[in-house]
Amino acid sequence: MNGLTKEELKERLHRYNMQSEPHSGGHMDHSAEEMSSSGEVPEDLKEAENPTYEVGSQAIIEADHMQAMEGAEATISGAFDTTVYSVSYTPTNGGDPVEDHKWVIHEELENPGETPLEPGDEVVMNATHMEGMEGATATIDSAEQTTVYMVDFVTTDTGEEVQNHKWVIESELAPVE
C-alpha cells in the first residue's frame, strides 16, 4: 500500500494509535502479539542452575509492565541468571520517550563491558522485544543481579495467549496457591 511494507504500515498504525489514545499510569497497551517473542535468547545468556521457578512450572505475575499481565498465571518458559536493567530511552521508530522500562538484560546491550552498569550509564540496546528498542541509546535507571524469567501467559482482559514474554524477575512472581 503506497509503497509501504506490511511491517511499516503496522508500525505507523501502532504509532498513530499510541499518539491518539490516552494512556494512564504510564502503562503501555500492547497486544498479545507485541508481548510475545520468538523465544530466542542471546548466546552468552546463562541458564539458571537452581531457579526458584523451574522451567515448566507455574507462577502468578505480580508485575504490571504491560496492561493485562498483573495477576495472570504464567508458565515459566526460561530461567536465566544475569543482570537486569530498567532503562529510559527514545525509540528509534519515532515514538514517545519511554521511562523506566523493565527489563533489559546485560546480554541485550551492545558491548556492555563488565556487570553491573551503574545508573546514569548510557548504552545501546540490541533488544528486540519492543518496537523501536533495537539500536536505541538508553540510560540505565537501575541494575539488579537476579534470575530473570521468560514466561507464557494468558492476558487477564482479553484472554489472548502471550508466548515467551521477556522479562520478569523473581520478585515479580509469586507461587500459585
Side-chain angles (χ1 to χ4, degrees):
M1 178 174 178
N2 293 341
L4 296 175
T5 66
K6 182 178 176 184
E7 200 56 42
E8 289 170 326
L9 188 60
K10 183 177 169 185
E11 184 178 307
R12 283 188 182 183
L13 180 61
H14 174 73
R15 209 173 332 156
Y16 170 79
N17 288 336
M18 292 300 287
Q19 292 170 352
S20 63
E21 294 174 10
H23 294 279
S24 61
H27 302 129
M28 302 191 111
D29 182 17
H30 292 281
S31 70
E33 183 179 312
E34 290 173 300
M35 288 190 273
S36 294
S37 80
S38 66
E40 288 183 38
V41 297
E43 286 181 27
D44 51 345
L45 184 59
K46 295 184 318 200
E47 285 190 26
E49 290 185 27
N50 192 16
T52 300
Y53 300 97
E54 301 270 336
V55 172
S57 69
Q58 308 288 304
I60 301 296
I61 300 173
E62 294 186 328
D64 63 352
H65 307 161
M66 298 180 179
Q67 185 176 331
M69 76 185 300
E70 187 171 17
E73 186 170 315
T75 299
I76 306 301
S77 54
F80 308 92
D81 288 329
T82 188
T83 300
V84 296
Y85 301 100
S86 66
V87 297
S88 295
Y89 67 98
T90 299
T92 58
N93 62 359
D96 291 332
V98 176
E99 300 290 324
D100 197 33
H101 171 79
K102 296 182 172 92
W103 300 102
V104 175
I105 61 173
H106 194 78
E107 292 79 5
E108 293 175 320
L109 303 177
E110 190 173 296
N111 302 317
E114 295 298 310
T115 66
L117 297 174
E118 299 293 325
D121 287 351
E122 285 198 350
V123 294
V124 174
M125 297 183 292
N126 289 329
T128 58
H129 35 100
M130 289 187 59
E131 284 184 43
M133 192 176 247
E134 187 172 20
T137 298
T139 301
I140 302 294
D141 294 321
S142 69
E144 183 177 343
Q145 178 68 38
T146 188
T147 300
V148 66
Y149 295 91
M150 186 165 49
V151 296
D152 299 339
F153 66 96
V154 174
T155 60
T156 59
D157 58 357
T158 62
E160 291 180 272
E161 289 186 31
V162 174
Q163 298 292 310
N164 300 314
H165 175 76
K166 298 174 184 167
W167 305 99
V168 294
I169 61 173
E170 196 160 295
S171 62
E172 296 173 327
L173 296 171
V176 174
E177 309 235 347

